[in-house]
Amino acid sequence: PKDGSPCMECENCKAIEEETTIDVVEMDAASNRRIDDIRNLKDNVIYPPNKLKYKVYIIDEAHMITREAFNALLKIMEEPPKHLVFILATTEIDKIPQTILSRCQRYEFKMINAKDISDNIKYILNDLNRKMDDDAIELIANKADGAMRDALSILDQVLSIEKENITKQDINDILGIVDNKGIFKLVNSIIKKDAAEVLNNLYTISHNKPVENVMDELLNHFRNLLLSKNGLENIRQNNTQYNDDYNSQSELITNRQIVESMSIIIEHQKKLKQADNQKALLEILVMRLIDYIDYDDLIARVNTLEDKLNNSRIWFLSVLFTSISPAPKTVPRTYIIGTRQIFIGHMN
């Protein structure tokens, strides 16, 4: 080690980097998941390393291993040879048996922030002598959602086009990403509860775009509104050019409506895979967003009405007539005062 990291200069470091050493073995658990595969592994781990200090087995997608194979692996881990190191890699830690986890040191890989991903993309572009607009680089970093591997996959896809300078619109077209300005227009019409305008804006932004992408962008937009409304612009997943737009639109909507809208979108995202007509599901989604009821406003209106009734004098007149024959000289009358009756109209 050099300053806590591999020196990348000695024979062992180079052998590991070039994958020429037999002392570092990588297994794909997706295709080597059966008990027979683990038994074969058990027969091989007893042999000491050839040149390195340890013999290292990297098991990728470890959650794919069957229950019986995990039991066989546990036998090895309970009494491992001193030269043996297992590295289990997984994205679904909940599927790893507790008996295995209790014998492991656990390391969680954290999400990479968008700035570091952007800086790495710029470094790669400079090395490849390719040009890309800054807002296009930032868009790739945001779409990667903290995963450098995803960012590089998107970058490979984008660089496949023969163009001297790649713009944000190029990436939108390649990945089917919905334009931010279109999303702002759609959400504005949702807030105004204008059904015709909502559907028209929806058809404009969803043309030739996957429904899944439209829902993702709509969910991200409401999340950004929530962050802007509560003064957290610094962690918002979008570039600064939309700061004023988000701040202005967030003033037109309550926290409760934002959260309720996000919940409705997530609900429809779960239904998307089972939907035969995804476009219809998207239309149902935006109609439900329009039908939001502001309970805070409703409660305030009821309280205002009660206050007016409590401060009013409500008169109910009931006239009681006696028999007409013979005609009485006087007609008895009864006046009733009500103070807690709720009705549409009242007299001050």
Side-chain angles (χ1 to χ4, degrees), residues 11 39 59 74 98 152 178 268 289 320 322 340:
E11 181 182 352
R39 284 173 177 169
I59 304 179
L74 181 61
Q98 189 60 39
L152 294 179
V178 181
H268 282 73
L289 294 179
L320 303 180
T322 60
R340 291 296 297 174

Side-chain angles (χ1 to χ4, degrees), residues 11-56:
E11 181 182 352
N12 287 345
C13 282
K14 291 180 179 178
I16 296 173
E17 177 71 14
E18 297 168 2
E19 299 183 5
T20 58
T21 178
I22 62 173
D23 294 334
V24 178
V25 181
E26 183 175 352
M27 293 177 54
D28 183 10
S31 54
N32 299 277
R33 59 195 298 267
R34 301 173 303 169
I35 187 170
D36 291 338
D37 299 314
I38 301 301
R39 284 173 177 169
N40 291 335
L41 176 64
K42 184 178 179 180
D43 294 336
N44 293 327
V45 297
I46 61 175
Y47 299 110
N50 184 30
K51 289 186 177 181
L52 303 183
K53 186 176 180 180
Y54 296 98
K55 195 159 191 174
V56 181

Side-chain angles (χ1 to χ4, degrees), residues 215-227:
M215 288 188 180
D216 286 342
E217 292 301 320
L218 196 56
L219 179 62
N220 287 332
H221 185 89
F222 276 104
R223 178 178 180 270
N224 290 335
L225 285 178
L226 182 66
L227 296 175

Side-chain angles (χ1 to χ4, degrees), residues 286-301:
V286 294
M287 288 296 102
R288 283 194 61 189
L289 294 179
I290 291 177
D291 288 339
Y292 168 79
I293 299 175
D294 191 340
Y295 291 102
D296 289 337
D297 180 63
L298 187 61
I299 292 172
R301 290 168 62 186

Side-chain angles (χ1 to χ4, degrees), residues 55-117:
K55 195 159 191 174
V56 181
Y57 283 85
I58 304 171
I59 304 179
D60 195 16
E61 303 291 345
H63 59 273
M64 299 290 290
I65 298 176
T66 63
R67 184 181 64 180
E68 294 78 9
F70 265 129
N71 290 334
L73 180 62
L74 181 61
K75 293 293 183 182
I76 307 173
M77 297 180 68
E78 284 178 335
E79 298 178 0
K82 292 183 179 180
H83 62 264
L84 180 63
V85 174
F86 276 119
I87 298 178
L88 309 182
T90 179
T91 54
E92 300 182 43
I93 192 69
D94 55 299
K95 293 185 179 179
I96 307 296
Q98 189 60 39
T99 51
I100 298 291
L101 288 177
S102 63
R103 289 167 172 81
C104 296
Q105 294 181 14
R106 180 170 169 177
Y107 298 92
E108 295 280 356
F109 291 124
K110 297 180 180 179
M111 296 173 63
I112 306 173
N113 63 59
K115 184 181 182 304
D116 290 338
I117 294 178

Side-chain angles (χ1 to χ4, degrees), residues 120-153:
N120 200 23
I121 292 175
K122 292 177 182 177
Y123 175 82
I124 295 172
L125 291 171
N126 184 61
D127 188 55
L128 297 175
N129 197 26
R130 296 291 299 271
K131 294 181 179 180
M132 185 179 296
D133 292 347
D134 288 341
D135 56 351
I137 294 174
E138 190 169 355
L139 177 59
I140 294 176
N142 288 333
K143 290 298 293 182
D145 196 24
M148 192 68 226
R149 181 174 63 180
D150 293 345
L152 294 179
S153 298

